[in-house]
Amino acid sequence: MKKILITGGAGFIGSHVVRRFVNQYPNYHIFNLDALTYAGNLENIADIEKAPNYTFVKGDIVDAPFIDALFAEHQFDGVLHLAAESHVDRSITDPLAFVKTNVIGTMNLLNAAKTIWKDQMEGKRFYHISTDEVYGSLGAEGLFTETTAYDPNSPYSASKASSDHFVRAYGETYGLPYVLTNCSNNYGPFHFPEKLIPLFINNIIHNKPLPVYGDGKYTRDWLFVEDHAVAIDLVFHKGVNHDTYNIGGFNEWQNIDLVKLLCRIMDEKLGRPAGTSAQLITYVKDRPGHDLRYAIDATKINQELGWKPSVTFEEGLERTVNWYLDNQKWLDNVTSGAYASYYEKQYENRDS
Ligand code: NAD
Ligand code: DAU
Protein backbone atom coordinates (compact mmCIF):
# COMPACT_ATOMS: atom_id res chain seq x y z
CA MET A 1 0.00 0.00 0.00
CA LYS A 2 1.41 3.40 -1.01
CA LYS A 3 1.77 5.98 1.73
CA ILE A 4 0.81 9.48 0.60
CA LEU A 5 1.34 12.61 2.67
CA ILE A 6 -1.06 15.51 2.09
CA THR A 7 -0.19 18.71 3.96
CA GLY A 8 -2.81 21.32 4.83
CA GLY A 9 -5.66 18.83 4.51
CA ALA A 10 -7.78 20.54 7.17
CA GLY A 11 -7.88 23.73 5.11
CA PHE A 12 -10.16 24.70 2.26
CA ILE A 13 -8.63 23.08 -0.84
CA GLY A 14 -6.71 20.46 1.13
CA SER A 15 -9.92 19.08 2.65
CA HIS A 16 -11.37 18.49 -0.83
CA VAL A 17 -8.13 16.83 -1.96
CA VAL A 18 -7.93 14.59 1.12
CA ARG A 19 -11.57 13.54 0.71
CA ARG A 20 -11.03 12.74 -2.95
CA PHE A 21 -7.86 10.71 -2.34
CA VAL A 22 -9.29 8.78 0.63
CA ASN A 23 -12.44 7.88 -1.34
CA GLN A 24 -10.87 7.25 -4.76
CA TYR A 25 -7.76 5.37 -3.70
CA PRO A 26 -8.41 2.66 -1.10
CA ASN A 27 -4.99 1.26 -2.07
CA TYR A 28 -3.29 4.40 -0.67
CA HIS A 29 -2.92 5.25 2.97
CA ILE A 30 -3.44 9.00 3.25
CA PHE A 31 -1.65 10.91 6.00
CA ASN A 32 -3.07 14.39 6.51
CA LEU A 33 -0.51 16.65 8.18
CA ASP A 34 -1.90 19.94 9.43
CA ALA A 35 -0.92 22.37 12.20
CA LEU A 36 -4.56 23.44 12.67
CA THR A 37 -3.84 27.14 12.46
CA TYR A 38 -6.85 29.47 12.42
CA ALA A 39 -7.44 28.21 8.83
CA GLY A 40 -7.42 24.50 9.70
CA ASN A 41 -10.73 22.96 10.63
CA LEU A 42 -11.20 19.22 11.16
CA GLU A 43 -14.96 19.67 10.70
CA ASN A 44 -14.09 20.09 7.00
CA ILE A 45 -13.19 16.40 6.78
CA ALA A 46 -15.33 14.90 9.55
CA ASP A 47 -16.96 12.58 6.96
CA ILE A 48 -13.74 10.66 6.24
CA GLU A 49 -11.96 10.78 9.60
CA LYS A 50 -12.78 7.15 10.42
CA ALA A 51 -11.82 5.75 6.99
CA PRO A 52 -9.38 2.81 7.36
CA ASN A 53 -6.93 4.34 4.87
CA TYR A 54 -6.72 7.72 6.63
CA THR A 55 -4.59 9.12 9.46
CA PHE A 56 -4.58 12.68 10.77
CA VAL A 57 -1.29 14.04 12.11
CA LYS A 58 -1.23 17.35 13.95
CA GLY A 59 2.08 19.06 13.33
CA ASP A 60 3.90 22.09 12.01
CA ILE A 61 5.89 21.94 8.77
CA VAL A 62 8.18 24.63 10.17
CA ASP A 63 9.44 22.15 12.78
CA ALA A 64 12.29 20.44 10.87
CA PRO A 65 13.16 17.70 13.42
CA PHE A 66 9.48 16.74 13.62
CA ILE A 67 9.17 16.61 9.81
CA ASP A 68 12.38 14.56 9.47
CA ALA A 69 11.13 12.06 12.06
CA LEU A 70 7.71 11.81 10.40
CA PHE A 71 9.26 11.05 7.00
CA ALA A 72 11.73 8.58 8.55
CA GLU A 73 8.90 6.76 10.33
CA HIS A 74 6.46 6.50 7.42
CA GLN A 75 8.73 6.53 4.32
CA PHE A 76 6.10 8.31 2.22
CA ASP A 77 5.91 7.43 -1.48
CA GLY A 78 4.39 10.75 -2.47
CA VAL A 79 3.74 14.22 -1.07
CA LEU A 80 0.99 16.67 -2.03
CA HIS A 81 1.96 19.93 -0.36
CA LEU A 82 -0.90 22.37 0.25
CA ALA A 83 -0.19 23.67 3.77
CA ALA A 84 0.37 27.40 3.61
CA GLU A 85 -0.53 30.77 4.95
CA SER A 86 -2.96 31.64 2.17
CA HIS A 87 -4.58 35.04 2.77
CA VAL A 88 -3.08 38.06 1.01
CA ASP A 89 -4.42 40.60 3.55
CA ARG A 90 -2.80 38.73 6.44
CA SER A 91 0.51 38.65 4.53
CA ILE A 92 0.46 42.45 4.46
CA THR A 93 0.20 42.68 8.26
CA ASP A 94 2.45 39.69 9.14
CA PRO A 95 4.79 38.83 6.24
CA LEU A 96 7.19 36.79 8.39
CA ALA A 97 4.53 34.19 9.18
CA PHE A 98 4.31 33.61 5.42
CA VAL A 99 8.07 33.19 5.05
CA LYS A 100 8.09 30.70 7.92
CA THR A 101 5.33 28.40 6.69
CA ASN A 102 5.46 28.92 2.94
CA VAL A 103 9.23 29.07 2.46
CA ILE A 104 10.89 27.37 5.46
CA GLY A 105 8.06 24.84 5.82
CA THR A 106 8.34 23.89 2.15
CA MET A 107 12.14 23.62 2.50
CA ASN A 108 11.73 21.25 5.45
CA LEU A 109 9.45 18.99 3.39
CA LEU A 110 11.85 19.09 0.43
CA ASN A 111 14.82 18.19 2.66
CA ALA A 112 12.95 15.34 4.31
CA ALA A 113 11.78 13.93 0.94
CA LYS A 114 15.30 14.21 -0.51
CA THR A 115 16.71 12.34 2.48
CA ILE A 116 14.32 9.39 2.42
CA TRP A 117 14.22 9.13 -1.40
CA LYS A 118 17.94 9.61 -2.01
CA ASP A 119 18.64 6.03 -3.11
CA GLN A 120 15.34 5.50 -4.90
CA MET A 121 13.79 8.54 -6.57
CA GLU A 122 11.90 6.50 -9.18
CA GLY A 123 8.17 6.23 -8.56
CA LYS A 124 8.29 9.02 -5.97
CA ARG A 125 6.64 12.39 -6.40
CA PHE A 126 6.71 15.76 -4.61
CA TYR A 127 3.76 17.87 -5.74
CA HIS A 128 3.75 21.56 -4.82
CA ILE A 129 0.35 23.23 -5.06
CA SER A 130 0.89 26.89 -5.89
CA THR A 131 -0.89 29.98 -7.09
CA ASP A 132 -1.24 32.17 -10.17
CA GLU A 133 -0.34 35.15 -7.97
CA VAL A 134 3.37 34.35 -8.50
CA TYR A 135 3.01 35.84 -12.00
CA GLY A 136 2.04 39.25 -10.65
CA SER A 137 -0.64 41.32 -12.34
CA LEU A 138 -1.99 41.34 -15.88
CA GLY A 139 -3.18 44.49 -17.64
CA ALA A 140 -6.46 44.48 -19.53
CA GLU A 141 -5.23 41.87 -22.04
CA GLY A 142 -3.41 38.54 -22.02
CA LEU A 143 -3.31 35.38 -19.94
CA PHE A 144 -0.76 33.75 -17.63
CA THR A 145 0.93 30.77 -19.28
CA GLU A 146 3.46 28.35 -17.78
CA THR A 147 6.26 30.46 -19.30
CA THR A 148 5.11 33.82 -17.91
CA ALA A 149 7.93 35.32 -15.83
CA TYR A 150 7.44 35.38 -12.06
CA ASP A 151 6.70 38.89 -10.78
CA PRO A 152 5.06 38.60 -7.35
CA ASN A 153 3.68 41.72 -5.67
CA SER A 154 2.36 40.73 -2.24
CA PRO A 155 4.30 39.11 0.62
CA TYR A 156 2.01 36.07 0.13
CA SER A 157 2.82 35.71 -3.58
CA ALA A 158 6.52 36.40 -2.95
CA SER A 159 6.59 33.56 -0.41
CA LYS A 160 4.80 31.19 -2.81
CA ALA A 161 7.13 32.21 -5.67
CA SER A 162 10.11 31.53 -3.43
CA SER A 163 8.84 28.07 -2.50
CA ASP A 164 8.14 27.30 -6.20
CA HIS A 165 11.75 28.22 -7.00
CA PHE A 166 13.08 25.94 -4.26
CA VAL A 167 10.96 23.04 -5.53
CA ARG A 168 12.42 23.52 -9.03
CA ALA A 169 15.92 23.94 -7.62
CA TYR A 170 15.64 20.63 -5.73
CA GLY A 171 14.53 19.00 -8.98
CA GLU A 172 17.50 20.38 -10.92
CA THR A 173 20.14 20.07 -8.21
CA TYR A 174 19.22 16.84 -6.45
CA GLY A 175 17.01 15.16 -9.05
CA LEU A 176 14.00 15.34 -6.74
CA PRO A 177 10.94 14.19 -8.73
CA TYR A 178 8.44 17.03 -8.57
CA VAL A 179 5.40 18.51 -10.27
CA LEU A 180 4.05 22.00 -9.68
CA THR A 181 0.75 23.69 -10.44
CA ASN A 182 -0.28 27.34 -10.33
CA CYS A 183 -4.00 27.79 -9.89
CA SER A 184 -6.42 30.71 -9.98
CA ASN A 185 -8.96 31.70 -7.28
CA ASN A 186 -10.92 28.76 -5.87
CA TYR A 187 -14.39 28.96 -4.36
CA GLY A 188 -16.83 26.43 -2.90
CA PRO A 189 -17.78 24.68 0.36
CA PHE A 190 -15.47 24.94 3.42
CA HIS A 191 -13.91 28.23 2.24
CA PHE A 192 -12.81 30.26 5.26
CA PRO A 193 -14.98 33.38 5.62
CA GLU A 194 -12.12 35.85 5.35
CA LYS A 195 -11.93 35.38 1.56
CA LEU A 196 -14.21 37.41 -0.74
CA ILE A 197 -17.03 34.95 -1.54
CA PRO A 198 -17.60 33.26 1.85
CA LEU A 199 -17.05 36.55 3.73
CA PHE A 200 -19.71 38.25 1.65
CA ILE A 201 -22.14 35.30 1.96
CA ASN A 202 -21.76 35.44 5.73
CA ASN A 203 -22.14 39.23 5.81
CA ILE A 204 -25.27 39.12 3.64
CA ILE A 205 -26.83 36.52 5.96
CA HIS A 206 -26.15 38.83 8.92
CA ASN A 207 -26.97 42.10 7.11
CA LYS A 208 -23.43 43.39 7.51
CA PRO A 209 -21.60 45.71 5.06
CA LEU A 210 -19.85 44.16 2.04
CA PRO A 211 -16.41 45.85 1.93
CA VAL A 212 -15.42 46.13 -1.74
CA TYR A 213 -11.76 47.20 -2.04
CA GLY A 214 -11.02 50.25 -4.22
CA ASP A 215 -13.29 50.68 -7.22
CA GLY A 216 -14.19 46.97 -7.35
CA LYS A 217 -12.82 46.65 -10.90
CA TYR A 218 -10.16 44.11 -9.96
CA THR A 219 -10.49 40.87 -11.90
CA ARG A 220 -10.06 37.28 -10.76
CA ASP A 221 -10.47 33.94 -12.58
CA TRP A 222 -12.69 31.70 -10.44
CA LEU A 223 -12.61 27.90 -10.28
CA PHE A 224 -14.92 25.58 -8.33
CA VAL A 225 -12.76 23.85 -5.71
CA GLU A 226 -13.85 20.30 -6.63
CA ASP A 227 -12.62 20.92 -10.19
CA HIS A 228 -9.27 21.93 -8.71
CA ALA A 229 -9.18 18.69 -6.69
CA VAL A 230 -9.78 16.68 -9.89
CA ALA A 231 -6.95 18.56 -11.62
CA ILE A 232 -4.64 17.89 -8.66
CA ASP A 233 -5.48 14.17 -8.82
CA LEU A 234 -4.67 14.12 -12.56
CA VAL A 235 -1.40 16.01 -12.23
CA PHE A 236 -0.27 13.86 -9.30
CA HIS A 237 -0.86 10.68 -11.29
CA LYS A 238 -0.23 11.72 -14.90
CA GLY A 239 1.75 14.98 -14.82
CA VAL A 240 5.21 14.92 -16.42
CA ASN A 241 8.08 14.84 -13.94
CA HIS A 242 9.76 18.28 -13.43
CA ASP A 243 6.88 20.04 -15.19
CA THR A 244 4.46 22.86 -14.34
CA TYR A 245 0.79 23.22 -15.20
CA ASN A 246 -1.49 26.23 -14.91
CA ILE A 247 -5.01 25.54 -13.66
CA GLY A 248 -7.86 28.02 -14.10
CA GLY A 249 -11.55 28.40 -14.70
CA PHE A 250 -11.57 30.36 -18.01
CA ASN A 251 -13.91 32.43 -15.87
CA GLU A 252 -12.95 36.06 -15.31
CA TRP A 253 -15.09 38.32 -13.18
CA GLN A 254 -14.60 41.88 -12.00
CA ASN A 255 -15.14 41.83 -8.24
CA ILE A 256 -18.08 44.22 -8.34
CA ASP A 257 -19.94 42.17 -10.97
CA LEU A 258 -19.36 39.00 -8.96
CA VAL A 259 -20.60 40.68 -5.79
CA LYS A 260 -23.74 41.90 -7.55
CA LEU A 261 -24.43 38.39 -8.89
CA LEU A 262 -23.91 36.96 -5.40
CA CYS A 263 -26.30 39.56 -3.96
CA ARG A 264 -28.96 38.56 -6.51
CA ILE A 265 -28.60 34.85 -5.68
CA MET A 266 -28.68 35.55 -1.93
CA ASP A 267 -31.82 37.72 -2.20
CA GLU A 268 -33.56 34.90 -4.05
CA LYS A 269 -32.44 32.20 -1.59
CA LEU A 270 -33.24 34.26 1.50
CA GLY A 271 -36.61 35.38 0.10
CA ARG A 272 -35.61 39.03 0.34
CA PRO A 273 -36.84 41.65 -2.17
CA ALA A 274 -34.51 42.04 -5.20
CA GLY A 275 -31.85 44.66 -4.49
CA THR A 276 -31.80 44.21 -0.70
CA SER A 277 -28.33 42.66 -0.41
CA ALA A 278 -26.75 45.03 -2.95
CA GLN A 279 -27.53 47.90 -0.56
CA LEU A 280 -24.88 46.42 1.75
CA ILE A 281 -22.11 47.09 -0.82
CA THR A 282 -19.62 49.54 0.70
CA TYR A 283 -16.53 50.77 -1.15
CA VAL A 284 -13.55 50.80 1.21
CA LYS A 285 -9.84 51.67 1.12
CA ASP A 286 -7.93 49.55 -1.37
CA ARG A 287 -5.62 46.65 -0.52
CA PRO A 288 -2.00 47.88 -0.80
CA GLY A 289 -0.26 46.43 -3.87
CA HIS A 290 -3.60 45.09 -5.12
CA ASP A 291 -3.07 43.09 -8.34
CA LEU A 292 -5.40 44.36 -11.07
CA ARG A 293 -6.12 41.17 -12.96
CA TYR A 294 -5.40 37.43 -12.91
CA ALA A 295 -6.39 35.13 -15.77
CA ILE A 296 -5.05 31.68 -16.51
CA ASP A 297 -4.40 30.01 -19.82
CA ALA A 298 -5.15 26.39 -18.90
CA THR A 299 -4.56 25.04 -22.44
CA LYS A 300 -1.60 22.87 -21.44
CA ILE A 301 -3.37 20.84 -18.76
CA ASN A 302 -6.37 20.59 -21.08
CA GLN A 303 -4.38 19.31 -24.06
CA GLU A 304 -1.89 17.11 -22.21
CA LEU A 305 -4.05 15.69 -19.41
CA GLY A 306 -7.57 16.24 -20.75
CA TRP A 307 -8.69 18.40 -17.79
CA LYS A 308 -11.25 21.16 -18.00
CA PRO A 309 -13.61 22.70 -15.45
CA SER A 310 -16.86 20.73 -15.18
CA VAL A 311 -18.92 23.30 -13.29
CA THR A 312 -20.06 26.65 -14.72
CA PHE A 313 -19.66 29.67 -12.46
CA GLU A 314 -23.41 30.24 -12.11
CA GLU A 315 -23.88 26.58 -11.12
CA GLY A 316 -20.85 26.57 -8.79
CA LEU A 317 -21.83 29.81 -7.09
CA GLU A 318 -25.38 28.57 -6.52
CA ARG A 319 -24.05 25.27 -5.11
CA THR A 320 -21.73 27.26 -2.86
CA VAL A 321 -24.50 29.52 -1.58
CA ASN A 322 -26.75 26.50 -0.98
CA TRP A 323 -23.94 24.81 0.94
CA TYR A 324 -23.38 27.80 3.24
CA LEU A 325 -27.10 28.21 3.86
CA ASP A 326 -27.45 24.48 4.62
CA ASN A 327 -24.37 24.54 6.86
CA GLN A 328 -24.83 27.65 8.95
CA LYS A 329 -23.62 25.68 11.96
CA TRP A 330 -20.24 25.30 10.23
CA LEU A 331 -20.17 29.03 9.52
CA ASP A 332 -21.22 29.87 13.09
CA ASN A 333 -18.56 27.53 14.54
CA VAL A 334 -15.91 29.24 12.42
CA THR A 335 -16.98 32.79 13.16
CA SER A 336 -17.37 32.07 16.90
CA GLY A 337 -14.08 30.13 17.11
CA ALA A 338 -15.84 26.98 18.37
CA TYR A 339 -14.31 24.91 15.54
CA ALA A 340 -10.92 25.13 17.24
CA SER A 341 -11.98 22.66 19.94
CA TYR A 342 -12.81 19.88 17.45
CA TYR A 343 -9.32 18.36 17.66
CA GLU A 344 -9.41 18.09 21.46
CA LYS A 345 -12.88 16.54 21.38
CA GLN A 346 -12.21 14.02 18.61
CA TYR A 347 -8.54 13.18 19.02
CA GLU A 348 -6.98 14.11 22.37
CA ASN A 349 -9.68 12.35 24.37
CA ARG A 350 -10.02 9.41 21.99
CA ASP A 351 -8.16 6.84 24.14
CA SER A 352 -9.37 8.06 27.49
P1 NAD B 1 -6.21 27.47 3.72
O1 NAD B 1 -5.66 28.69 4.38
O2 NAD B 1 -7.68 27.27 3.67
O3 NAD B 1 -5.60 26.16 4.42
C1 NAD B 1 -4.23 26.06 4.74
C2 NAD B 1 -4.07 24.85 5.66
O4 NAD B 1 -2.67 24.74 5.96
C3 NAD B 1 -4.81 24.98 6.98
O5 NAD B 1 -5.48 23.77 7.29
C4 NAD B 1 -3.71 25.26 7.99
O6 NAD B 1 -4.00 24.77 9.29
C5 NAD B 1 -2.54 24.54 7.37
N1 NAD B 1 -1.25 25.12 7.78
C6 NAD B 1 -0.90 26.43 7.79
N2 NAD B 1 0.34 26.57 8.29
C7 NAD B 1 0.80 25.33 8.57
C8 NAD B 1 2.01 24.82 9.10
N3 NAD B 1 3.02 25.65 9.43
N4 NAD B 1 2.16 23.49 9.24
C9 NAD B 1 1.14 22.65 8.89
N5 NAD B 1 -0.04 23.07 8.44
C10 NAD B 1 -0.22 24.40 8.26
O7 NAD B 1 -5.56 27.45 2.26
P2 NAD B 1 -6.22 27.03 0.87
O8 NAD B 1 -6.96 28.18 0.33
O9 NAD B 1 -6.87 25.74 1.01
O10 NAD B 1 -4.89 26.85 -0.01
C11 NAD B 1 -4.21 25.61 -0.03
C12 NAD B 1 -3.00 25.75 -0.94
O11 NAD B 1 -3.42 26.08 -2.26
C13 NAD B 1 -2.04 26.85 -0.50
O12 NAD B 1 -0.73 26.40 -0.73
C14 NAD B 1 -2.37 28.01 -1.42
O13 NAD B 1 -1.24 28.82 -1.63
C15 NAD B 1 -2.77 27.28 -2.68
N6 NAD B 1 -3.74 27.98 -3.54
C16 NAD B 1 -4.91 28.48 -3.02
C17 NAD B 1 -5.84 29.07 -3.88
C18 NAD B 1 -7.15 29.60 -3.37
O14 NAD B 1 -7.89 30.23 -4.13
N7 NAD B 1 -7.53 29.38 -2.11
C19 NAD B 1 -5.55 29.17 -5.24
C20 NAD B 1 -4.34 28.67 -5.72
C21 NAD B 1 -3.45 28.06 -4.87
O1 DAU C 1 -5.33 33.68 -7.28
C1 DAU C 1 -5.19 32.66 -6.35
C2 DAU C 1 -5.25 33.24 -4.95
O2 DAU C 1 -6.61 33.59 -4.72
C3 DAU C 1 -4.75 32.28 -3.90
O3 DAU C 1 -3.40 32.00 -4.11
C4 DAU C 1 -4.97 32.87 -2.49
O4 DAU C 1 -4.58 31.92 -1.51
C5 DAU C 1 -6.43 33.20 -2.33
O5 DAU C 1 -6.64 33.81 -1.08
C6 DAU C 1 -6.90 34.13 -3.45
O6 DAU C 1 -6.29 35.44 -3.31
P1 DAU C 1 -7.11 36.79 -3.56
O7 DAU C 1 -6.43 37.89 -2.89
O8 DAU C 1 -7.43 36.96 -5.01
O9 DAU C 1 -8.51 36.39 -2.80
P2 DAU C 1 -9.47 37.24 -1.85
O10 DAU C 1 -10.70 36.41 -1.66
O11 DAU C 1 -8.77 37.74 -0.65
O12 DAU C 1 -9.84 38.48 -2.76
C7 DAU C 1 -10.47 38.34 -4.02
C8 DAU C 1 -10.65 39.73 -4.61
O13 DAU C 1 -11.63 40.44 -3.83
C9 DAU C 1 -9.39 40.60 -4.55
O14 DAU C 1 -9.35 41.43 -5.68
C10 DAU C 1 -9.57 41.43 -3.30
C11 DAU C 1 -11.08 41.62 -3.23
N1 DAU C 1 -11.65 41.72 -1.88
C12 DAU C 1 -11.35 40.78 -0.96
C13 DAU C 1 -11.88 40.82 0.31
C14 DAU C 1 -11.51 39.77 1.34
C15 DAU C 1 -12.53 42.76 -1.59
O15 DAU C 1 -12.82 43.62 -2.43
N2 DAU C 1 -13.05 42.82 -0.32
C16 DAU C 1 -12.76 41.90 0.65
O16 DAU C 1 -13.25 42.02 1.80
Side-chain angles (χ1 to χ4, degrees):
M1 180 177 261
K2 281 196 169 179
K3 291 182 174 182
I4 307 295
L5 177 70
I6 301 181
T7 71
F12 167 47
I13 302 171
S15 63
H16 289 274
V17 174
V18 164
R19 177 176 302 102
R20 182 173 176 87
F21 271 65
V22 166
N23 290 333
Q24 297 276 322
Y25 301 107
N27 55 326
Y28 291 169
H29 194 96
I30 305 301
F31 291 82
N32 174 10
L33 169 63
D34 198 296
L36 300 182
T37 68
Y38 81 94
N41 182 351
L42 287 174
E43 291 179 13
N44 295 359
I45 33 171
D47 56 325
I48 49 100
E49 75 183 1
K50 296 204 166 67
N53 63 335
Y54 173 74
T55 303
F56 176 71
V57 181
K58 184 169 188 273
D60 190 339
I61 59 170
V62 180
D63 181 349
F66 162 75
I67 292 297
D68 289 345
L70 189 73
F71 275 67
E73 181 186 351
H74 296 296
Q75 299 287 315
F76 301 116
D77 299 286
V79 177
L80 289 95
H81 175 34
L82 294 99
E85 287 293 340
S86 69
H87 192 40
V88 173
D89 291 332
R90 287 177 188 258
S91 81
I92 294 166
T93 49
D94 185 9
L96 195 55
F98 285 67
V99 175
K100 285 181 184 153
T101 287
N102 299 358
V103 185
I104 311 281
T106 302
M107 287 290 296
N108 289 340
L109 295 167
L110 287 168
N111 283 331
K114 170 167 92 65
T115 302
I116 64 160
W117 296 344
K118 93 175 154 329
D119 299 324
Q120 178 55 278
M121 297 276 191
E122 213 177 304
K124 307 294 194 290
R125 175 147 280 192
F126 189 102
Y127 180 177
H128 188 228
I129 283 79
S130 191
T131 172
D132 60 356
E133 300 202 9
V134 298
Y135 298 123
S137 186
L138 290 164
E141 300 292 322
L143 299 171
F144 295 134
T145 72
E146 287 79 1
T147 56
T148 302
Y150 276 32
D151 190 16
N153 291 314
S154 72
Y156 164 68
S157 52
S159 69
K160 292 296 290 188
S162 172
S163 54
D164 286 4
H165 289 320
F166 275 112
V167 171
R168 273 207 196 88
Y170 272 56
E172 292 306 312
T173 308
Y174 307 112
L176 191 89
Y178 77 85
V179 278
L180 208 163
T181 50
N182 298 90
C183 186
S184 64
N185 286 61
N186 286 217
Y187 70 98
F190 303 112
H191 206 183
F192 195 86
E194 63 184 351
K195 309 282 169 43
L196 180 75
I197 291 178
L199 174 73
F200 281 28
I201 291 174
N202 190 46
N203 286 10
I204 291 171
I205 293 171
H206 296 288
N207 273 308
K208 284 161 65 176
L210 307 177
V212 172
Y213 297 163
D215 62 5
K217 300 227 167 112
Y218 296 90
T219 300
R220 297 291 182 266
D221 171 358
W222 293 92
L223 177 67
F224 192 60
V225 62
E226 287 174 16
D227 278 331
H228 190 189
V230 171
I232 287 173
D233 184 344
L234 260 179
V235 171
F236 183 71
H237 290 102
K238 304 232 164 73
V240 172
N241 193 23
H242 287 200
D243 215 345
T244 292
Y245 301 85
N246 279 355
I247 304 172
F250 293 106
N251 177 41
E252 287 183 53
W253 283 79
Q254 279 197 347
N255 292 340
I256 190 63
D257 295 334
L258 187 164
V259 169
K260 286 180 178 163
L261 172 64
L262 184 61
C263 287
R264 280 201 296 279
I265 297 176
M266 290 296 288
D267 282 345
E268 241 176 72
K269 299 281 172 194
L270 294 171
R272 295 178 181 170
T276 307
S277 300
Q279 287 170 16
L280 298 168
I281 293 172
T282 310
Y283 291 92
V284 299
K285 193 163 168 277
D286 211 348
R287 171 187 280 174
H290 199 166
D291 286 331
L292 177 68
R293 176 172 165 257
Y294 305 144
I296 282 277
D297 181 349
T299 306
K300 179 175 168 180
I301 189 171
N302 174 254
Q303 290 185 346
E304 292 188 11
L305 304 182
W307 176 88
K308 64 175 185 333
S310 70
V311 178
T312 65
F313 190 53
E314 286 73 8
E315 191 186 331
L317 197 56
E318 184 166 359
R319 272 169 71 176
T320 303
V321 166
N322 286 341
W323 185 85
Y324 279 94
L325 293 176
D326 291 344
N327 291 276
Q328 287 196 42
K329 181 84 181 126
W330 181 91
L331 209 42
D332 291 346
N333 281 351
V334 170
T335 48
S336 72
Y339 71 110
S341 61
Y342 189 93
Y343 177 76
E344 287 82 57
K345 281 193 228 128
Q346 299 299 119
Y347 287 84
E348 286 189 345
N349 301 327
R350 184 164 276 185
D351 300 327
S352 57

